């Protein structure tokens, strides 16, 4: 959905995605949630400039529509459902439950940051593994503001 991309762009950490994944697909509904907000923030300005992002338009799956999620979450899960092997980047808890009901693997912003911390520093203490997933979007953005001081990477 849109929130992982928004958080990563706001924290200047969007380039973590192509480091961790060989292909980054952004469904049209997510693209529009970010671009069509009327705000000229980092995500709205940076998304169209990110050469590693592939925008796709897809038709929502009726089984996913039945969950009554937002358009971004619906399009991400529908894409992953029709294209096995893709991981769905989703922060919304209900959307993650929906993905799980279709056996679609998910990763949220917190999980992505934890993965990158472990990649850079190795195993982390259990309190770190517990604290990061419990953080809300504002806390993740605040922590992300620290990392540009270290070159923008963990």
């Amino acid at each position: 959905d849109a929130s992982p991309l928004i958080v990563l762009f706001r924290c200047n950490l969007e380039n973590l995605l192509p480091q961790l994944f060989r292909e980054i697909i952004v469904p049209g509904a997510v693209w529009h949630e970010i671009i069509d907000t009327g705000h000229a923030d980092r995500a709205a300005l940076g998304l169209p400039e990110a050469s590693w992002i592939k925008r796709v338009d897809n038709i929502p799956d009726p089984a996913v529509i039945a969950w009554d999620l937002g358009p971004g979450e619906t399009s991400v899960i529908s894409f992953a459902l029709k294209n096995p092997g893709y991981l769905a980047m989703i922060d919304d808890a209900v959307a993650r439950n929906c993905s799980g009901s279709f056996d679609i693997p998910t990763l949220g912003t917190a999980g992505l940051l934890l993965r990158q911390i472990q990649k850079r520093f190795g195993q982390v203490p259990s309190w770190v593994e517990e604290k990061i997933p419990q953080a809300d979007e504002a806390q993740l953005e605040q922590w992300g503001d620290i990392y540009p001081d270290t070159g923008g990477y963990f």
Side-chain angles (χ1 to χ4, degrees):
D1 67 90
S3 64
L5 285 170
I6 292 168
V7 170
L8 291 171
F9 272 98
R10 285 182 181 166
C11 296
N12 198 30
L13 296 173
E14 69 276 5
N15 287 321
L16 294 177
L17 292 169
Q19 292 177 26
L20 294 171
F21 306 105
R22 64 181 144 72
E23 186 173 37
I24 293 89
I25 305 290
V26 177
V30 172
W31 185 278
H32 290 295
E33 279 185 38
I34 296 170
I35 301 297
D36 297 343
T37 62
H39 303 292
D41 67 3
R42 278 195 42 77
L45 297 172
L47 187 65
E49 302 298 318
S51 61
W52 41 265
I53 289 178
K54 179 180 177 185
R55 179 184 166 194
V56 297
D57 290 313
N58 61 320
I59 298 170
D61 187 280
V64 179
I65 292 172
W67 280 77
D68 197 29
L69 304 170
E73 290 87 354
T74 299
S75 66
V76 168
I77 297 167
S78 294
F79 179 85
L81 186 60
K82 293 176 185 173
N83 298 278
Y86 282 88
L87 176 93
M89 286 282 302
I90 297 176
D91 282 341
D92 181 81
V94 175
R96 291 171 74 91
N97 289 337
C98 175
S99 292
S101 75
F102 296 111
D103 295 322
I104 297 169
T106 61
L107 183 68
T109 307
L112 177 79
L113 295 175
L114 182 59
R115 197 183 265 194
Q116 192 62 15
I117 289 169
Q118 291 171 331
K119 184 177 176 183
R120 171 97 188 245
F121 299 110
Q123 187 61 34
V124 297
S126 60
W127 66 267
V128 172
E129 288 185 12
E130 294 169 8
K131 188 169 184 160
I132 291 176
Q134 294 172 359
D136 61 16
E137 186 175 316
Q139 183 65 58
L140 291 172
E141 286 183 33
Q142 183 181 9
W143 290 338
D145 288 341
I146 297 167
Y147 298 112
D149 296 337
T150 60
Y153 302 98
F154 293 98

